[in-house]
Amino acid sequence: MATQEIDRRPRPDRALSLYEDACRHVRAACRALGVAEGTAQYICRPQRFHEVSIPVRADDGRLLVFAGYRSQHSDALGPCKGGIRFHPAVEGDEVRALALWMTVKCALLGLPLGGAKGGVRCDPGALSGRELEALSRGYVRGLFAELGPDRDVPAPDVYTDARVMAWMLDEYERLAGGSVPGSITGKPLVLGGSALRDEATGRGCALMALSAMDRRGRPARAVRFAVQGFGNAGAATARILHQAGWRLVAASDSQGAVHADGGIDPADLLAFKARYGSAAGYPGAAALPPDEWLALDVDVLVPAALEGAIDEGAAARVRAAVIVEAANGPVTPDADELLFARGVDVVPDVLANAGGVAVSYFEWVQNRSGWYWAPGEVEARLRDLMLSTFDRVDAEQRRAGCTPRQAAYRLALGRLVEALRWRGVAGT
Ligand code: NAD
């Protein structure tokens, strides 16, 4: 887990604005769909929101207490599903926004799942392995009654990985008194994980990037791209696009950015990062000031770090033709509109990074049936799901003349509202 290079700077008011941004997209889609104001309000709020205090005995004997959150945004379409984030800047409103996006994502893909998200405000890089394990287990203990394969199924997100999921699964199963592999996804293979889950988000993003460039007509030269946030999602996207013949010209993480016009080999950069803890200082490329990645002469930008990376000011500087949102919420709503007006195609997060939850869904299905799929089967199902969803969003966008994000929200919320109507929550 890349815990050595965490951006610890406070991000004031970011969480609240993120939640407001998420609601703004929902309200706009509901208006376009003719959904009643009250239903739109209902959709903006999480069905349930939990906050727990997690005590952890530190290695030096002190008692540390962490704030943990779980927003169960909606179970109208099925059990809640969503990752858990460990980060110093985690806030309740950030978790609320991310949970709402999970509902939209699952609904857009047509999965029988609702949306949730969790987070713990902590600095994982400053915790020992034993402390991190105690924190992961404490999170599950605090929320045990709310979790489970038919209620709410967590998965990895920023600064959590298969190791954290293994601790969480083990704690859940101890408390449940039996084997319940479908209670957590993103587990190691040997504990019932799915083939390809670790690179599923990147695979999905790469498919979306390739489709978006195909739609525009590819340039004669190798497609040039830059990745902000060379972590799980960003590095896997880069590796797969590199294999497809694209050229990675810049990459960054929280400690810095590197740039090489002639191209960077993502596998080489990953090996460097694994050894030295960061992409910064990679000898095969020059250092780049932190915000310059977004103004580079590239065809595709892949923001794969955190929210709010491209605001209105940044959007005006973008030279790329396509932005693929590997991260959740990297383009602010105002920037989204400006980019649309400028003719830049933004593949929205709820589509671009949906490969992660798609394979989490496959993992949950495999766990429940006890029948495990070969990598080729997972790959083929992921490809079908992502490409058919891309085509549906593309068709809706062309039909309605709206942004791709609005097209995705309209398709997703149409399905959610239909379920709410049958349940008697939304008006007819
Ligand atoms: P990760 O922790 O593996 O990687 C995040 C990377 O971003 C790290 O390398 C970190 O250094 C970098 N970063 C942080 N702040 C930065 C900054 N200011 N500038 C540049 N880089 C910075 O996390 P991840 O799982 O890859 O998640 C990244 C994004 O993708 C998040 O928005 C997450 O919600 C989203 N996402 C992840 C998954 C998944 O399956 N992991 C699925 C869907 C969406």
Side-chain angles (χ1 to χ4, degrees):
M1 180 162 47
T3 51
Q4 302 93 325
E5 36 87 24
I6 295 171
D7 186 352
R8 296 180 173 85
R9 287 168 298 180
R11 290 172 286 169
D13 298 336
R14 185 186 119 274
L16 180 60
S17 75
L18 206 64
Y19 181 48
E20 281 168 359
D21 289 353
C23 294
R24 187 168 146 187
H25 293 311
V26 168
R27 281 194 294 267
C30 284
R31 269 196 304 277
L33 292 169
V35 170
E37 176 65 28
T39 305
Q41 273 176 25
Y42 178 79
I43 294 172
C44 284
R45 294 181 56 81
Q47 249 172 267
R48 289 176 294 277
F49 184 84
H50 310 283
E51 183 170 351
V52 289
S53 286
I54 309 168
V56 171
R57 185 65 62 188
D59 292 345
D60 63 8
R62 281 177 307 143
L63 186 71
L64 308 174
V65 182
F66 298 92
Y69 305 95
R70 187 74 182 167
S71 180
Q72 295 173 327
H73 174 261
S74 172
D75 61 9
L77 289 164
C80 297
K81 185 86 194 76
I84 297 174
R85 174 175 293 195
F86 285 180
H87 193 279
V90 163
E91 293 286 346
D93 276 325
E94 174 192 44
V95 174
R96 282 184 182 87
L98 290 161
L100 198 165
W101 284 329
M102 285 306 298
T103 298
V104 175
K105 212 176 288 184
C106 293
L108 175 65
L109 291 188
L111 306 181
L113 295 170
K117 200 80 176 194
V120 178
R121 194 181 313 136
C122 67
D123 184 348
L127 297 176
S128 70
R130 195 203 59 79
E131 291 164 343
L132 204 56
E133 176 175 351
L135 180 62
S136 307
R137 290 182 183 277
Y139 183 87
V140 170
R141 271 199 306 281
L143 287 162
F144 177 69
E146 309 303 331
L147 304 177
D150 294 311
R151 291 179 77 95
D152 181 357
V153 186
D157 192 70
V158 175
Y159 298 136
T160 57
D161 57 8
R163 184 174 61 153
V164 171
M165 295 307 114
W167 289 325
M168 290 188 168
L169 175 77
D170 186 66
E171 191 64 27
Y172 185 88
E173 292 186 335
R174 282 184 195 202
L175 295 168
S179 171
V180 200
S183 56
I184 306 259
T185 61
K187 310 175 283 293
L189 268 180
V190 71
L191 296 184
S194 174
L196 303 189
R197 174 60 187 89
D198 52 344
E199 56 179 66
T201 305
R203 258 181 199 274
C205 274
L207 282 169
M208 297 299 92
L210 291 161
S211 301
M213 281 307 279
D214 277 346
R215 181 181 178 274
R216 289 186 77 102
R218 291 211 201 172
R221 61 179 183 180
V223 178
R224 294 156 56 83
F225 71 108
V227 173
Q228 183 213 30
F230 202 70
N232 176 319
T237 307
R239 193 173 50 72
I240 293 162
L241 290 176
H242 178 79
Q243 279 167 4
W246 287 25
R247 183 181 297 175
L248 175 68
V249 297
S252 70
D253 61 28
S254 63
Q255 301 306 299
V258 291
H259 173 226
D261 240 356
I264 298 168
D265 180 346
D268 205 35
L269 181 58
L270 204 56
F272 177 84
K273 184 170 166 158
R275 180 146 188 214
Y276 298 103
S278 169
Y282 175 64
L288 187 72
D291 287 337
E292 289 311 303
W293 68 282
L294 55 86
L296 288 173
D297 174 23
V298 292
D299 303 295
V300 177
L301 291 176
V302 182
L306 292 167
E307 308 82 22
I310 302 180
D311 60 13
E312 232 181 328
R317 299 177 60 215
V318 166
R319 291 158 77 190
V322 168
I323 297 177
V324 182
E325 292 187 324
N328 284 305
V331 174
T332 65
D334 290 335
D336 201 37
E337 279 166 26
L338 185 76
L339 290 164
F340 184 60
R342 288 190 50 210
V344 178
D345 288 337
V346 178
V347 184
D349 47 10
V350 291
L351 171 62
N353 68 36
V357 74
V359 176
S360 268
Y361 165 62
F362 298 159
E363 182 175 334
W364 179 76
V365 169
Q366 293 170 75
N367 293 150
R368 307 198 85 181
S369 64
W371 181 256
Y372 289 84
W373 309 346
E377 183 168 359
V378 176
E379 207 271 331
R381 287 183 189 271
L382 176 65
R383 173 178 289 273
D384 279 358
L385 187 57
M386 294 301 295
L387 295 184
S388 60
T389 310
F390 181 92
D391 287 346
R392 284 195 299 119
V393 172
D394 189 38
E396 174 63 14
Q397 192 225 322
R398 287 174 198 263
R399 189 196 64 75
C402 59
T403 62
R405 190 182 318 276
Q406 266 302 301
Y409 271 68
R410 290 176 195 180
L411 292 173
L413 295 182
R415 186 163 172 254
L416 178 65
V417 169
E418 190 188 344
L420 290 173
R421 283 202 182 110
W422 282 107
R423 289 177 182 279
V425 178
T428 50

mmCIF file of all heavy atoms in Angstrom, residues 131-149:
data_model
loop_
_atom_site.group_PDB
_atom_site.id
_atom_site.type_symbol
_atom_site.label_atom_id
_atom_site.label_comp_id
_atom_site.label_asym_id
_atom_site.label_seq_id
_atom_site.Cartn_x
_atom_site.Cartn_y
_atom_site.Cartn_z
ATOM 1 N N GLU A 131 -1.084 -1.244 14.148
ATOM 2 C CA GLU A 131 -2.091 -0.207 14.406
ATOM 3 C C GLU A 131 -3.121 -0.143 13.273
ATOM 4 O O GLU A 131 -4.321 0.015 13.516
ATOM 5 C CB GLU A 131 -1.399 1.157 14.574
ATOM 6 C CG GLU A 131 -0.573 1.249 15.852
ATOM 7 C CD GLU A 131 0.404 2.417 15.842
ATOM 8 O OE1 GLU A 131 0.692 2.963 14.754
ATOM 9 O OE2 GLU A 131 0.914 2.766 16.925
ATOM 10 N N LEU A 132 -2.631 -0.288 12.040
ATOM 11 C CA LEU A 132 -3.535 -0.265 10.885
ATOM 12 C C LEU A 132 -4.509 -1.447 10.933
ATOM 13 O O LEU A 132 -5.701 -1.315 10.620
ATOM 14 C CB LEU A 132 -2.691 -0.332 9.611
ATOM 15 C CG LEU A 132 -3.283 0.229 8.329
ATOM 16 C CD1 LEU A 132 -3.702 1.677 8.492
ATOM 17 C CD2 LEU A 132 -2.272 0.098 7.190
ATOM 18 N N GLU A 133 -3.984 -2.585 11.347
ATOM 19 C CA GLU A 133 -4.855 -3.769 11.476
ATOM 20 C C GLU A 133 -5.920 -3.528 12.550
ATOM 21 O O GLU A 133 -7.110 -3.818 12.344
ATOM 22 C CB GLU A 133 -4.027 -5.016 11.824
ATOM 23 C CG GLU A 133 -4.916 -6.232 12.045
ATOM 24 C CD GLU A 133 -4.153 -7.540 12.270
ATOM 25 O OE1 GLU A 133 -2.913 -7.551 12.088
ATOM 26 O OE2 GLU A 133 -4.813 -8.534 12.633
ATOM 27 N N ALA A 134 -5.494 -2.962 13.692
ATOM 28 C CA ALA A 134 -6.451 -2.706 14.782
ATOM 29 C C ALA A 134 -7.519 -1.714 14.323
ATOM 30 O O ALA A 134 -8.710 -1.855 14.649
ATOM 31 C CB ALA A 134 -5.709 -2.169 16.006
ATOM 32 N N LEU A 135 -7.103 -0.719 13.541
ATOM 33 C CA LEU A 135 -8.048 0.281 13.036
ATOM 34 C C LEU A 135 -9.047 -0.375 12.067
ATOM 35 O O LEU A 135 -10.265 -0.127 12.147
ATOM 36 C CB LEU A 135 -7.271 1.398 12.324
ATOM 37 C CG LEU A 135 -8.098 2.528 11.723
ATOM 38 C CD1 LEU A 135 -8.875 3.273 12.812
ATOM 39 C CD2 LEU A 135 -7.198 3.516 10.975
ATOM 40 N N SER A 136 -8.543 -1.217 11.157
ATOM 41 C CA SER A 136 -9.409 -1.878 10.169
ATOM 42 C C SER A 136 -10.424 -2.780 10.874
ATOM 43 O O SER A 136 -11.622 -2.796 10.543
ATOM 44 C CB SER A 136 -8.569 -2.718 9.198
ATOM 45 O OG SER A 136 -7.556 -1.933 8.629
ATOM 46 N N ARG A 137 -9.946 -3.535 11.864
ATOM 47 C CA ARG A 137 -10.851 -4.416 12.609
ATOM 48 C C ARG A 137 -11.841 -3.600 13.435
ATOM 49 O O ARG A 137 -13.022 -3.940 13.553
ATOM 50 C CB ARG A 137 -10.035 -5.349 13.512
ATOM 51 C CG ARG A 137 -9.251 -6.400 12.739
ATOM 52 C CD ARG A 137 -8.509 -7.325 13.680
ATOM 53 N NE ARG A 137 -7.697 -8.293 12.963
ATOM 54 C CZ ARG A 137 -8.161 -9.446 12.450
ATOM 55 N NH1 ARG A 137 -9.419 -9.772 12.615
ATOM 56 N NH2 ARG A 137 -7.354 -10.254 11.805
ATOM 57 N N GLY A 138 -11.362 -2.483 14.010
ATOM 58 C CA GLY A 138 -12.226 -1.628 14.834
ATOM 59 C C GLY A 138 -13.354 -1.019 14.014
ATOM 60 O O GLY A 138 -14.474 -0.859 14.504
ATOM 61 N N TYR A 139 -13.051 -0.682 12.763
ATOM 62 C CA TYR A 139 -14.088 -0.120 11.878
ATOM 63 C C TYR A 139 -15.225 -1.130 11.705
ATOM 64 O O TYR A 139 -16.405 -0.801 11.823
ATOM 65 C CB TYR A 139 -13.466 0.245 10.524
ATOM 66 C CG TYR A 139 -14.422 0.895 9.557
ATOM 67 C CD1 TYR A 139 -14.634 2.278 9.572
ATOM 68 C CD2 TYR A 139 -15.143 0.137 8.631
ATOM 69 C CE1 TYR A 139 -15.522 2.880 8.699
ATOM 70 C CE2 TYR A 139 -16.037 0.734 7.748
ATOM 71 C CZ TYR A 139 -16.219 2.106 7.794
ATOM 72 O OH TYR A 139 -17.114 2.691 6.921
ATOM 73 N N VAL A 140 -14.849 -2.385 11.457
ATOM 74 C CA VAL A 140 -15.864 -3.428 11.254
ATOM 75 C C VAL A 140 -16.624 -3.697 12.551
ATOM 76 O O VAL A 140 -17.853 -3.849 12.541
ATOM 77 C CB VAL A 140 -15.211 -4.720 10.706
ATOM 78 C CG1 VAL A 140 -16.198 -5.882 10.712
ATOM 79 C CG2 VAL A 140 -14.689 -4.488 9.296
ATOM 80 N N ARG A 141 -15.923 -3.700 13.689
ATOM 81 C CA ARG A 141 -16.620 -3.931 14.967
ATOM 82 C C ARG A 141 -17.650 -2.836 15.215
ATOM 83 O O ARG A 141 -18.779 -3.096 15.619
ATOM 84 C CB ARG A 141 -15.626 -3.997 16.129
ATOM 85 C CG ARG A 141 -15.105 -5.399 16.392
ATOM 86 C CD ARG A 141 -14.514 -5.534 17.795
ATOM 87 N NE ARG A 141 -13.497 -4.536 18.067
ATOM 88 C CZ ARG A 141 -12.234 -4.602 17.636
ATOM 89 N NH1 ARG A 141 -11.833 -5.615 16.907
ATOM 90 N NH2 ARG A 141 -11.379 -3.650 17.941
ATOM 91 N N GLY A 142 -17.245 -1.589 14.940
ATOM 92 C CA GLY A 142 -18.138 -0.457 15.187
ATOM 93 C C GLY A 142 -19.381 -0.484 14.311
ATOM 94 O O GLY A 142 -20.426 0.035 14.694
ATOM 95 N N LEU A 143 -19.260 -1.079 13.122
ATOM 96 C CA LEU A 143 -20.376 -1.011 12.168
ATOM 97 C C LEU A 143 -20.960 -2.380 11.842
ATOM 98 O O LEU A 143 -21.764 -2.506 10.907
ATOM 99 C CB LEU A 143 -19.880 -0.332 10.871
ATOM 100 C CG LEU A 143 -19.655 1.174 11.009
ATOM 101 C CD1 LEU A 143 -18.769 1.700 9.889
ATOM 102 C CD2 LEU A 143 -20.993 1.918 11.003
ATOM 103 N N PHE A 144 -20.571 -3.405 12.608
ATOM 104 C CA PHE A 144 -20.923 -4.791 12.251
ATOM 105 C C PHE A 144 -22.406 -4.967 11.917
ATOM 106 O O PHE A 144 -22.766 -5.569 10.904
ATOM 107 C CB PHE A 144 -20.521 -5.739 13.387
ATOM 108 C CG PHE A 144 -20.922 -7.159 13.130
ATOM 109 C CD1 PHE A 144 -20.297 -7.899 12.139
ATOM 110 C CD2 PHE A 144 -21.942 -7.759 13.858
ATOM 111 C CE1 PHE A 144 -20.664 -9.216 11.874
ATOM 112 C CE2 PHE A 144 -22.317 -9.076 13.603
ATOM 113 C CZ PHE A 144 -21.669 -9.798 12.611
ATOM 114 N N ALA A 145 -23.272 -4.389 12.755
ATOM 115 C CA ALA A 145 -24.716 -4.618 12.569
ATOM 116 C C ALA A 145 -25.218 -4.021 11.258
ATOM 117 O O ALA A 145 -26.270 -4.424 10.745
ATOM 118 C CB ALA A 145 -25.485 -4.006 13.739
ATOM 119 N N GLU A 146 -24.485 -3.069 10.711
ATOM 120 C CA GLU A 146 -24.936 -2.397 9.484
ATOM 121 C C GLU A 146 -24.432 -3.074 8.220
ATOM 122 O O GLU A 146 -24.892 -2.771 7.118
ATOM 123 C CB GLU A 146 -24.447 -0.931 9.467
ATOM 124 C CG GLU A 146 -24.767 -0.151 10.719
ATOM 125 C CD GLU A 146 -26.259 -0.144 11.001
ATOM 126 O OE1 GLU A 146 -27.049 -0.225 10.039
ATOM 127 O OE2 GLU A 146 -26.629 -0.077 12.184
ATOM 128 N N LEU A 147 -23.407 -3.945 8.362
ATOM 129 C CA LEU A 147 -22.758 -4.531 7.188
ATOM 130 C C LEU A 147 -23.316 -5.917 6.884
ATOM 131 O O LEU A 147 -24.116 -6.462 7.633
ATOM 132 C CB LEU A 147 -21.240 -4.601 7.422
ATOM 133 C CG LEU A 147 -20.554 -3.271 7.777
ATOM 134 C CD1 LEU A 147 -19.071 -3.492 8.057
ATOM 135 C CD2 LEU A 147 -20.730 -2.241 6.666
ATOM 136 N N GLY A 148 -22.832 -6.507 5.789
ATOM 137 C CA GLY A 148 -23.243 -7.876 5.449
ATOM 138 C C GLY A 148 -23.605 -7.985 3.971
ATOM 139 O O GLY A 148 -23.938 -6.985 3.337
ATOM 140 N N PRO A 149 -23.568 -9.205 3.424
ATOM 141 C CA PRO A 149 -23.773 -9.388 1.987
ATOM 142 C C PRO A 149 -25.144 -8.966 1.484
ATOM 143 O O PRO A 149 -25.308 -8.684 0.298
ATOM 144 C CB PRO A 149 -23.561 -10.897 1.781
ATOM 145 C CG PRO A 149 -23.625 -11.510 3.129
ATOM 146 C CD PRO A 149 -23.265 -10.457 4.129
#
